[in-house]
Amino acid sequence: MSNEEKILSAKIYSAVEPSKEQQARFGRFLKSRYGQDIEPEWIRSDAFPGGFRMEVGSDVYDWSVGGRFRQLRDTLIKVPTDNGNIIPLLRESISSWTPEALAEQVGEVKTVGDGIATVVGLDQATYGEILLFADGVRGMVQDIRETEIGCVLFGDDDDVVQGSSVKRTGKTAGTPVGEGFLGRCVDALGTPIDGLGEIEASGYMPVETPAPSIIDRQPVDTPLETGIFSIDSMFPIGRGQRELIIGDRQTGKTAIATDAIINQKGKDCICIYVAIGQKTSSVVRIQQILKKHGAMDYTIIVSASASDTAPLQYIAPYAGCAMAEYFMNKGKDVLIVYDDLSKHAVAYRALSLLLDRSPGREAYPGDVFYLHSRLLERAARLSDRIGGGSITALPIVETQAGDVSAYIPTNIISITDGQIFLESDLFFAGQRPAVNVGLSVSRVGGDAQTKAMKKAAGTLRIDLAQYREMEVFTQFASDLDDQTRAQLEYGQGLMRMLRQKQYKPKSQHEQVITLVMALAHTMQGIDPDDVNKFIEGLIGMFESEHRDICDRIDSTGQLDDDLKQEIIDISAKYRETYK
């Protein structure tokens, strides 16, 4: 109900009773502002020296010394710097400043607990708006009811008490953004937590924005190389794609994301790692690893650890995405990792249940699909008309006992453009990264590969699928014919080829040369345990004696028939000398 439709009352708090002339001025002001004849009630109070405080419904006019000083402070905060010399601008602002009769909407805390506050008196508060509590704690409106609103708190709820005042800010939740955040670790509100001092922000962006429209996007056709053999060759990721990394606990999901970040060194790609519900020690370890490999120079870590409140864990991925959009809108490419969205869904479930929302499947609220769809849809490759920047998203989801049919995994699988499924049995058998070739898929496919990689990969997936099928079929057979034995040996060699050390991403020429050599059956007869040693020696020989081939693949991304045959011939000669 609007102010014009309600019968309003007004109260004036001051140390001295207003005169009749002042009462008449108050009446004229209220008539012009609210369209009603309102006779304010005077209440004696010494809390507002040098002025008064007038309350009209949920609107508050603070004309005390403190209220006018806050107006002046807010004006001075907005003063821009002039080449570092702010004094003349401050003088000009103070000399021209005139206090205004500004209404602040103030409500009252009804109940508080578990990071949730119920507020009354803020009839016009909007969903997602930031509220300011009397002790400085900020909160965000998450539930609007008929007579009250539910608010999640971004601070310690011990500082918020029943009956304390709450102000509207008129702003939606946002985060500071800018180049200064590169190389830093911040919390979900953009505050640095790495002990390296304050960060000078270039702007302030809302954490939730609409996804780019279809007309503002362009097809995903530019590779974003992860440096991971099994992914780049069979499940390629393009700039602007959303590729899910899914698997049980401790199967190498974070390791794949970390390697992908390390591989962006020198490729003009900003990386953002969002840690949701992780142990602080784990986040510190990842930061140290990235720093060791020179990756923190172009990386931002946004951390909402397991010890942080559910509201902070809820808002963290949106804050990370807002930081990514800042760079995307400047025409840059961004890789963002959400580790992981299953913990994010759990945090949102906790908030929803505390806000008395109806539980559904697995106790998640009905809008949990929208929770992640509106986040992941913001990943895109923008058209050249508006800069051509991109956000590539790698969400991570943890499964229980390999169950990809659970609620959250199926939701995110349906939102993303493919998934990389990591299998526990493969991991414990020593196949790392433990990518299940049968269940993994990239819906962008060869469009996100260079022509060299696409041609070199050839029949790799089919050969591996045939090997897995034959392996299961022959595991109980004691007598195998020579052809079957050779096929099994060939498949074992391919599986060993796909094994890769952590933090050792492979360049394009390494992957292309290895694939061409392997699919030509050059490794036939080599003991599976020696496959990686053979490949290392072969690549080393190419890089030292045939550097022109390596540079040609890296620079052009092309692989013609003559070059392919040359690689096969050189590899065959090396195979003859290998012992």
Side-chain angles (χ1 to χ4, degrees), residues 506-549:
K506 293 182 181 291
S507 63
Q508 183 174 203
H509 74 261
E510 289 181 79
Q511 297 187 42
V512 169
I513 291 171
T514 304
L515 283 169
V516 170
M517 174 273 301
L519 294 180
H521 293 256
T522 305
M523 296 189 299
Q524 203 76 28
I526 294 179
D527 188 283
D529 293 334
D530 293 334
V531 163
N532 289 109
K533 182 180 177 182
F534 171 78
I535 293 173
E536 287 176 11
L538 177 69
I539 297 299
M541 184 268 292
F542 265 95
E543 290 177 342
S544 60
E545 300 178 19
H546 302 279
R547 189 70 217 182
D548 58 318
I549 294 178

Side-chain angles (χ1 to χ4, degrees), residues 245-289:
I245 303 173
I246 186 169
D248 284 2
R249 187 173 178 272
Q250 296 292 325
T251 51
K253 300 185 297 297
T254 302
I256 285 181
T258 307
D259 280 359
I261 291 174
I262 293 172
N263 195 55
Q264 303 314 308
K265 187 174 183 179
K267 297 183 178 178
D268 195 26
C269 181
I270 305 296
C271 297
I272 299 176
Y273 177 80
V274 183
I276 310 161
Q278 308 290 325
K279 292 186 293 185
T280 303
S281 59
S282 299
V283 179
V284 171
R285 183 176 58 82
I286 290 171
Q287 183 184 16
Q288 291 173 343
I289 290 168

